């Protein structure tokens, strides 16, 4: 149904200002990112880090794109951080232009609105070395079509040849029907190429001062011949005559073979148009995000200046409390109870570093840092399919991080939550101390732990911060503020009382905690000896006396 341009623009502006929340179709959205995995890049965000930073939810928050091509390019951008300040400044200028100039934004929205069909997700199939799959035995199609025509015409002089025409006709019909379903599937992206071409042409004609659009004239011109051939697949035939002709002369097979060669030859031109259209759509989405959230433009400096985050918050957490952090020559050790905000803060830092180097936009009041690659170990799990225990998964993940930092020292930001918690306390503390000390000299490190001993063991190269909660007789609450220094309060058992655990359990826990605290003084910070281990085991008798 026809809709006026004004109504279309109102609808598109409304969707741009408040994009509808939806679950991204990740397998389709990730097709372009997966397609370019083999190409060299400064960094590709690993699946573990993407999951740790809630990447799919973050993408959904940012996704105010209009077209499937824009979705794919935005997803690729978010998982491919750059170390190119000029490119990031260029993208920032594009997002700023589309946010501040409604006329330019309207032209872009209308141009992209032509490319909204779900089939456009498959345009990425046209960018590879073999864009369209080959049909089996299609090399015989020309001979079969020629044989039918030859026997048909020859029959006017020698009618017996018409028997050959009948045989060729039956064989060609079977050949056509065997390939028809494949051709309909394979030409799906080809049929969207015309829409991609029109969107690119309208963006170019709009004369938007965006760098990728300045180079579109030549690629658009080269696609004209392919579009004329592809248009034949879209011709509708209500009488059935064209379908009969296609079946007898194998027109679809012959045309498909020609298109396949042409697409392969013009794949660079198709990619240029694809990426330019996706670039504009991604910039529109980022402009929308900036309108909806408090953000800043990042600044990049030398490693000696460290990482400086001011007023950083997590955009996926409603009402998130902003925090500041400066990382210089010391790494950071975070302590605090569960739910106090340690992991959320590390994700906040990681998201700011990621968005700074992908969309030149940070959810903070200020962000300044050197270029760095973000790697995380925040939310691991054991693997039933491979039979790997939690500790083995932890150990293998940390080994990959160690190898990465050895290969490119000084270029990683590592966010680590409670390393080696799949093993006993003594070995966990020892392994933590050794690994964190090793990583600190090769990367920027922020690590969270419940082991207070690590603060003293690592005081030469780590500085301590903490989050804490307040527990009263009536309530408990968290302020989610990052505070300097080690955690000095312990509220875990008090929280059990607040949750109405049996008084007998709470009293026993408090008594045993006090006993353990006197046997292993916090200031000694040494690993438990066999004698101390035996003493802890003997505390069972103390607990029995307390309960009686």
């Amino acid at each position: 149904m026809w809709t006026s341009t004004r109504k279309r623009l109102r609808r598109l502006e409304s969707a741009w200002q408040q994009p509808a929340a939806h679950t991204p179709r990740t397998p389709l959205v990730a097709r372009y990112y997966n397609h370019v995995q083999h190409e060299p890049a400064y960094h590709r965000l690993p699946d573990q880090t993407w999951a740790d930073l809630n990447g799919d939810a973050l993408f959904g928050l940012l996704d105010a794109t209009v077209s499937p091509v824009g979705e794919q390019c935005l997803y690729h951008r978010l998982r491919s951080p750059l170390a190119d300040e000029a490119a990031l400044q260029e993208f920032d200028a594009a997002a700023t232009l589309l946010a501040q100039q409604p006329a330019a934004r309207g032209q872009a929205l209308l141009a992209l609105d032509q490319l909204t069909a779900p089939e456009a997700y498959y345009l990425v199939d046209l960018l590879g070395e073999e864009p369209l799959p080959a049909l089996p035995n299609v090399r015989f199609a020309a001979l079969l079509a020629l044989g039918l025509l030859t026997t048909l015409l020859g029959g006017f002089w020698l009618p017996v040849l018409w028997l050959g025409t009948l045989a060729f006709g039956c064989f060609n019909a079977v050949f056509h029907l065997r390939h028809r379903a494949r051709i309909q599937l394979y030409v799906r992206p080809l049929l969207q190429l015309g829409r991609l071409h029109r969107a690119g042409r309208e963006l170019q004609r709009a004369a938007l001062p965006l760098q990728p659009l300045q180079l579109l004239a030549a690629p658009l011109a080269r696609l004209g011949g392919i579009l004329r051939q592809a248009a034949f697949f879209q011709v509708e035939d209500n009488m059935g005559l064209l379908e009969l002709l296609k079946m007898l002369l194998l027109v679809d097979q012959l045309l498909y073979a020609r298109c396949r060669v042409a697409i392969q030859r013009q794949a660079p031109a198709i990619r240029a148009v694809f990426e330019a259209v996706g670039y504009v759509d991604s910039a529109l989405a980022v402009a929308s995000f900036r309108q909806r959230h408090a953000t800043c433009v990042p600044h990049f400096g030398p490693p000696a200046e460290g990482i400086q985050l001011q007023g950083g918050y997590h955009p996926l957490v409603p009402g998130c409390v902003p925090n500041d952090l400066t990382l210089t020559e010391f790494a950071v050790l975070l302590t605090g109870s569960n739910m106090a905000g340690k992991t959320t803060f590390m994700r906040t830092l990681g998201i700011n570093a990621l968005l700074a180097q992908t969309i030149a936009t940070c959810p903070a009041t200020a962000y300044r840092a050197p270029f760095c690659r973000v790697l995380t170990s925040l939310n691991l799990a054991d693997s039933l399919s491979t039979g790997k225990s939690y500790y083995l998964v932890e150990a293998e993940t940390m080994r990959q991080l160690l190898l990465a930092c050895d290969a490119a020292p000084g270029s990683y930001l590592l966010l680590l939550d409670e390393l080696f918690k799949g093993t006993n306390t003594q070995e966990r503390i020892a392994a933590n101390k050794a690994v964190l000390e090793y990583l600190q000299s090769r990367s920027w490190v922020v690590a969270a732990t419940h082991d207070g001993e690590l603060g003293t063991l690592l005081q030469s190269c780590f500085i301590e911060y903490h989050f804490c909660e307040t527990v009263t007789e009536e309530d408990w609450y968290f302020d989610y503020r990052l505070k300097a220094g080690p955690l000095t309060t312990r509220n875990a058992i008090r929280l059990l009382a607040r949750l109405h655990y049996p008084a007998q359990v709470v009293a026993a826990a408090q008594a045993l905690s006090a006993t353990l605290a006197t046997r292993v003084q916090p200031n000694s910070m040494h690993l438990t000896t066999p004698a101390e281990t035996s003493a802890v085991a003997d505390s069972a008798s103390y607990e029995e006396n307390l309960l009686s």
Side-chain angles (χ1 to χ4, degrees):
M1 185 174 64
W2 179 84
T3 306
S4 70
T5 301
R6 184 176 298 176
K7 287 184 178 179
R8 282 176 60 208
L9 188 55
R10 270 204 304 268
R11 170 179 60 81
L12 292 168
E13 277 280 355
S14 176
W16 175 81
Q17 291 172 0
Q18 289 295 333
H22 65 277
T23 303
R25 291 170 280 193
T26 303
L28 292 174
V29 171
R31 287 172 65 85
Y32 176 56
Y33 174 74
N34 294 332
H35 175 78
V36 301
Q37 281 294 294
H38 66 283
E39 298 179 0
Y42 170 71
H43 186 45
R44 304 277 189 210
L45 211 64
D47 290 343
Q48 179 64 49
T49 300
W50 180 252
D52 283 345
L53 297 181
N54 307 113
D56 287 341
L58 181 64
F59 171 78
L61 183 68
L62 280 159
D63 185 20
T65 56
V66 179
S67 69
V69 172
E71 275 190 279
Q72 292 175 328
C73 288
L74 178 62
Y75 183 90
H76 167 261
R77 177 173 285 273
L78 289 177
R79 293 198 63 171
S80 305
L82 304 174
D84 185 341
E85 188 168 2
L88 291 167
Q89 288 175 346
E90 181 183 288
F91 187 82
D92 166 51
T96 302
L97 170 77
L98 294 171
Q100 296 178 353
Q101 296 190 18
R105 182 170 66 247
Q107 290 176 304
L109 290 169
L110 289 170
L112 293 164
D113 192 40
Q114 303 178 76
L115 194 59
T116 56
E119 288 79 8
Y121 284 114
Y122 300 94
L123 275 166
V124 71
D125 295 345
L126 303 180
L127 308 182
E129 295 180 358
E130 190 174 345
L132 298 176
L135 295 173
N137 301 316
V138 74
R139 61 185 181 278
F140 300 118
L143 293 175
L144 293 173
L146 182 61
L148 185 141
L149 289 174
T150 301
T151 55
L152 177 64
L153 295 175
F156 288 102
W157 286 273
L158 190 61
V160 72
L161 291 177
W162 282 337
L163 294 174
T165 303
L166 181 61
F168 273 111
C170 292
F171 191 87
N172 288 3
V174 172
F175 192 86
H176 170 80
L177 292 174
R178 285 176 63 88
H179 288 97
R180 182 171 62 176
R182 281 196 182 96
I183 291 175
Q184 289 174 347
L185 177 65
Y186 294 163
V187 301
R188 180 168 48 180
L190 188 59
L191 300 182
Q192 292 296 312
L193 189 58
R195 295 178 179 271
L196 177 68
H197 184 271
R198 286 196 296 275
R201 185 179 58 198
E202 289 194 15
L203 287 172
Q204 189 206 20
R205 288 177 177 173
L208 301 176
L210 306 181
Q211 182 61 31
L213 300 180
Q214 313 305 316
L215 309 173
L216 270 189
L220 288 170
R222 288 201 293 272
L223 299 185
I226 299 175
L227 296 176
R228 286 189 291 273
Q229 296 178 39
F232 188 78
F233 290 108
Q234 297 176 290
V235 175
E236 295 184 1
D237 177 27
N238 296 327
M239 303 295 294
L241 296 177
L242 182 59
E243 182 62 27
L244 179 63
L245 185 64
K246 287 182 176 182
M247 183 166 54
L248 295 176
L249 297 180
L250 304 177
V251 175
D252 282 351
Q253 285 79 358
L254 295 171
L255 186 59
Y256 178 85
R258 290 193 60 183
C259 286
R260 183 171 176 270
V261 173
I263 290 289
Q264 197 165 4
R265 187 169 57 248
Q266 298 299 344
I270 297 172
R271 180 167 181 172
V273 179
F274 181 97
E275 291 179 344
V277 169
Y279 184 95
V280 176
D281 210 352
S282 298
L284 275 169
V286 172
S288 171
F289 178 75
R290 291 178 174 183
Q291 297 282 89
R292 292 178 281 123
H293 296 271
T295 62
C296 70
V297 176
H299 296 278
F300 300 98
E305 295 183 2
I307 298 175
Q308 302 168 36
L309 176 68
Q310 295 179 16
Y313 70 95
H314 198 305
L316 292 171
V317 178
C320 184
V321 175
N323 278 294
D324 303 341
L325 180 70
T326 298
L327 271 171
T328 53
E329 70 274 12
F330 285 91
V332 166
L333 194 66
L334 288 178
T335 54
S337 61
N338 290 322
M339 302 186 299
K342 302 189 304 296
T343 307
T344 298
F345 176 72
M346 287 193 290
R347 287 191 172 110
T348 296
L349 179 59
I351 285 174
N352 272 273
L354 174 65
L355 297 186
Q357 292 179 221
T358 54
I359 61 172
T361 304
C362 292
T365 55
Y367 176 86
R368 183 176 179 84
F371 290 110
C372 57
R373 301 169 173 90
V374 180
L375 291 178
T376 64
S377 176
L378 302 179
N379 189 25
L380 301 179
D382 56 2
S383 175
L384 292 177
S385 60
T386 60
K388 293 181 178 179
S389 68
Y390 183 87
Y391 179 74
L392 182 56
V393 172
E394 278 189 304
E396 290 181 343
T397 300
M398 288 310 303
R399 178 178 177 274
Q400 294 302 318
L401 267 60
L402 291 168
L403 292 175
C405 293
D406 281 341
S411 67
Y412 283 93
L413 170 62
L414 304 183
L415 306 174
L416 313 172
D417 190 13
E418 297 185 51
L419 297 184
F420 306 118
K421 60 184 177 183
T423 189
N424 62 81
T425 303
Q426 180 172 322
E427 291 186 305
R428 180 177 67 246
I429 294 174
N432 263 285
K433 193 262 185 183
V435 168
L436 292 177
E437 199 169 47
Y438 185 88
L439 290 173
Q440 186 274 333
S441 62
R442 292 164 172 80
S443 56
W444 309 96
V445 182
V446 178
T449 183
H450 283 294
D451 297 315
E453 297 90 336
L454 281 173
T456 298
L457 293 172
L458 293 169
Q459 62 183 350
S460 63
C461 54
F462 275 74
I463 187 170
E464 289 192 74
Y465 288 87
H466 70 274
F467 290 90
C468 63
E469 73 284 354
T470 299
V471 180
T472 67
E473 294 298 328
E474 295 79 24
D475 199 3
W476 84 92
Y477 61 90
F478 303 95
D479 62 12
Y480 304 112
R481 294 287 182 186
L482 181 66
K483 303 173 181 67
L487 183 67
T488 57
T489 60
R490 297 188 177 188
N491 290 318
I493 298 176
R494 294 178 64 191
L495 184 57
L496 299 183
R498 176 65 187 83
L499 292 173
H500 305 295
Y501 271 55
Q504 172 179 349
V505 172
V506 174
Q510 288 175 331
L512 182 57
S513 175
T515 301
L516 295 177
T518 59
R519 293 179 180 177
V520 183
Q521 292 297 327
N523 292 332
S524 64
M525 298 305 175
H526 57 74
L527 298 180
T528 307
T529 65
E532 288 171 330
T533 304
S534 175
V536 172
D538 291 340
S539 64
S541 59
Y542 172 88
E543 190 173 352
E544 290 175 1
N545 294 332
L546 178 70
L547 294 178
S548 62

